[in-house]
Amino acid sequence: MNAQMTMNTQMRPIAILENDITPEGSDYDVVRRAIEKISLDYRDQPSLEVLAAEVGETPTGLQKLFTRWAGLSPKAFLQAVTLDHARRLLDSGMPLLETSFELGMSGPGRLHDLFVTHEAMSPGDYKTRGAGLTIRYGYHISPFGIALIMVTDRGLAGLAFCDAGSERAAFADMSGRWPNATYVEDMSATQAYAARVFDPTKWRADQPLRVVMIGTDFQLRVWEALLRIPMGRACTYSSIAASIGHPSASRAVGAAVGANPMSFVVPCHRAIGKSGALTGYHWGLTRKRAILGWEAGQVGS
């Protein structure tokens, strides 16, 4: 009896789907065809209108349907596919110019970052913890929540993010870095920086954004390395460590990245773990994802 049961178990047929069981005309089918179109034709950077025509939807209808099903818009999905391909091309050694043309872009300028000119305060200035320094600050609406911007007479010195109700905590965190400085709330002094930082049309080489870095010598070297990472790319902590001549200092690099006082401008959000994981972010991992998605949009737009 046991032998017969074993034989029956071994002879049980394996189920094989011989037909496509995807429901015809379903919402899923529309999204599936849109994803297929994006995945195959991302070099052409198809517009929402082109995608909608391909799947027989209106642009507005596709936008809503795709976002509900996929959790992101068709444009955001296109940007993610394009960025992934860009990483693979650049990692394979393809020059930046060839990569930009391969991705359907007009030239490498669209893969470049903010034009930033920076200077570092002396180690002595850092050791005084801001003594004798006047820092003006203000809160501004940004694409990534409320931005706390801090400036000195020499340029932008700090940029942090927070959500409504967390303004005081953000200020305490930032002012604690330079506890001996004099702080003056002055939105008129910070407004111009807020307007420039978050508006790509104002990122100009002939009018670079002035940044003042206040940190240790090691931190400054890490932050300068972050400035060299192009928009749309990411770099591991170990790679950053190697680029500054300290290949075994990945953890110290991670600490310096986390201490970066100028979020977004000094792009600590582009630092990732060796496995490719986004890892932590001082202003929240969700915000890090949002910034990377926004940058992908700038690269692919």
Side-chain angles (χ1 to χ4, degrees), residues 98-279:
E98 292 182 26
T99 297
S100 62
F101 286 130
E102 168 69 13
L103 296 176
M105 300 175 187
S106 60
R110 294 176 118 179
L111 286 175
H112 284 176
D113 196 6
L114 287 164
F115 288 104
V116 175
T117 180
H118 66 277
E119 61 176 302
M121 301 193 79
S122 69
D125 290 330
Y126 174 73
K127 289 179 181 179
T128 64
R129 309 296 286 171
L133 186 67
T134 297
I135 298 179
R136 302 181 183 278
Y137 69 94
Y139 297 93
H140 302 270
I141 300 300
S142 83
F144 317 110
I146 298 172
L148 168 60
I149 294 179
M150 294 184 163
V151 302
T152 70
D153 292 339
R154 294 156 67 178
L156 179 70
L159 196 163
F161 292 110
C162 64
D163 298 318
S166 302
E167 294 89 345
R168 289 186 179 181
F171 178 80
D173 173 53
M174 293 295 285
S175 61
R177 301 164 190 250
W178 314 291
N180 297 326
T182 298
Y183 291 90
V184 179
E185 185 169 7
D186 186 354
M187 286 188 62
S188 63
T190 56
Q191 177 59 47
Y193 287 90
R196 287 200 60 193
V197 166
F198 300 110
D199 186 353
T201 64
K202 296 180 179 179
W203 299 352
R204 297 178 53 181
D206 60 340
Q207 295 180 7
L209 181 70
R210 293 177 58 202
V211 168
V212 179
M213 294 179 170
I214 309 173
T216 66
D217 179 67
F218 183 82
Q219 287 175 333
L220 293 173
R221 294 176 67 184
V222 171
W223 300 341
E224 288 170 343
L226 292 173
L227 283 169
R228 292 193 292 269
I229 304 175
M231 178 182 285
R233 295 194 65 188
C235 196
T236 63
Y237 297 109
S238 57
S239 296
I240 294 171
S243 73
I244 63 172
H246 294 277
S248 62
S250 296
R251 288 193 176 183
V253 165
V257 169
N260 169 36
M262 275 178 284
S263 179
F264 187 73
V265 173
V266 177
C268 51
H269 54 275
R270 297 179 196 158
I272 60 174
K274 191 173 183 179
S275 65
L278 293 185
T279 66

Side-chain angles (χ1 to χ4, degrees), residues 2-14:
N2 290 338
Q4 182 66 33
M5 289 178 64
T6 300
M7 180 184 70
N8 289 342
T9 301
Q10 292 174 341
M11 294 177 62
R12 184 178 298 151
I14 300 173

